């Protein structure tokens, strides 16, 4: 069994409207020094196999086919036996 | 100036429907060993002040009032001078 943690980020050139919205809200609340907000995804899951190579392949499949949009986002992951 | 990274997670007792949906999709694609998926938020931003105490206060305000729902989510952050 492996525990995987994935960080999925939009590419820096891609606008992040959710981050922009949060930042505008902050200004309205008097929180005035916040800049360059980016809201990304952090995904955790378990891969139920003991074969490290198979686990890596499943993580890459899961990320590439379901969790990310490969036109807009990049991902990186860490895994540990658990 | 400080760079802040915040990880916002639903409490373990709170259902994560987005994670469940991704997992069901994985099964349909033949990715069969994925379990316990949780999709959370990772937020990065800059706090444009040199006063560490003020920066911390802004981060806690931003997280507590805008980025998180305090009834469902917890957050933790790291900051570094940058």
């Amino acid at each position: 069994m492996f525990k995987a943690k994935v960080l999925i980020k939009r590419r820096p050139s891609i606008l992040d409207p959710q981050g922009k919205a949060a930042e505008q809200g902050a200004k309205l609340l008097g929180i005035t020094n916040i800049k360059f907000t980016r809201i990304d995804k952090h995904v955790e899951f378990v891969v139920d196999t003991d074969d490290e190579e198979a686990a890596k392949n499943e993580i890459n499949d899961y990320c590439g086919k379901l969790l990310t949009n490969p036109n807009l986002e990049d991902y990186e992951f860490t895994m540990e036996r658990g």
Side-chain angles (χ1 to χ4, degrees), chain A residues 23-38:
Chain A
E23 215 169 282
Q24 286 177 6
K27 296 221 182 332
L28 296 175
L29 290 177
I31 308 168
T32 53
N33 294 314
I34 306 291
K35 289 184 178 166
F36 308 120
T37 302
R38 303 288 288 188

Side-chain angles (χ1 to χ4, degrees), chain A residues 8-18 38-41 72-74:
Chain A
I8 301 167
K9 286 185 170 186
R10 275 163 210 253
R11 305 222 168 85
S13 58
I14 308 285
L15 189 72
D16 176 12
Q18 203 189 354
R38 303 288 288 188
I39 301 183
D40 296 304
K41 279 188 278 190
L72 303 175
E73 296 168 324
D74 292 313

Side-chain angles (χ1 to χ4, degrees), chain A residues 2-76:
Chain A
F2 291 89
K3 289 185 183 168
K5 294 183 183 183
V6 186
L7 179 58
I8 301 167
K9 286 185 170 186
R10 275 163 210 253
R11 305 222 168 85
S13 58
I14 308 285
L15 189 72
D16 176 12
Q18 203 189 354
K20 269 276 161 269
E23 215 169 282
Q24 286 177 6
K27 296 221 182 332
L28 296 175
L29 290 177
I31 308 168
T32 53
N33 294 314
I34 306 291
K35 289 184 178 166
F36 308 120
T37 302
R38 303 288 288 188
I39 301 183
D40 296 304
K41 279 188 278 190
H42 177 272
V43 188
E44 290 188 18
F45 52 89
V46 161
V47 192
D48 193 9
T49 171
D50 285 324
D51 175 344
E52 189 165 346
E53 210 46 47
K56 258 188 203 162
N57 288 339
E58 287 225 356
I59 294 169
N60 278 317
D61 269 3
Y62 196 30
C63 291
K65 294 180 180 166
L66 271 161
L67 298 176
T68 70
N69 177 339
N71 293 313
L72 303 175
E73 296 168 324
D74 292 313
Y75 68 90
E76 56 192 52

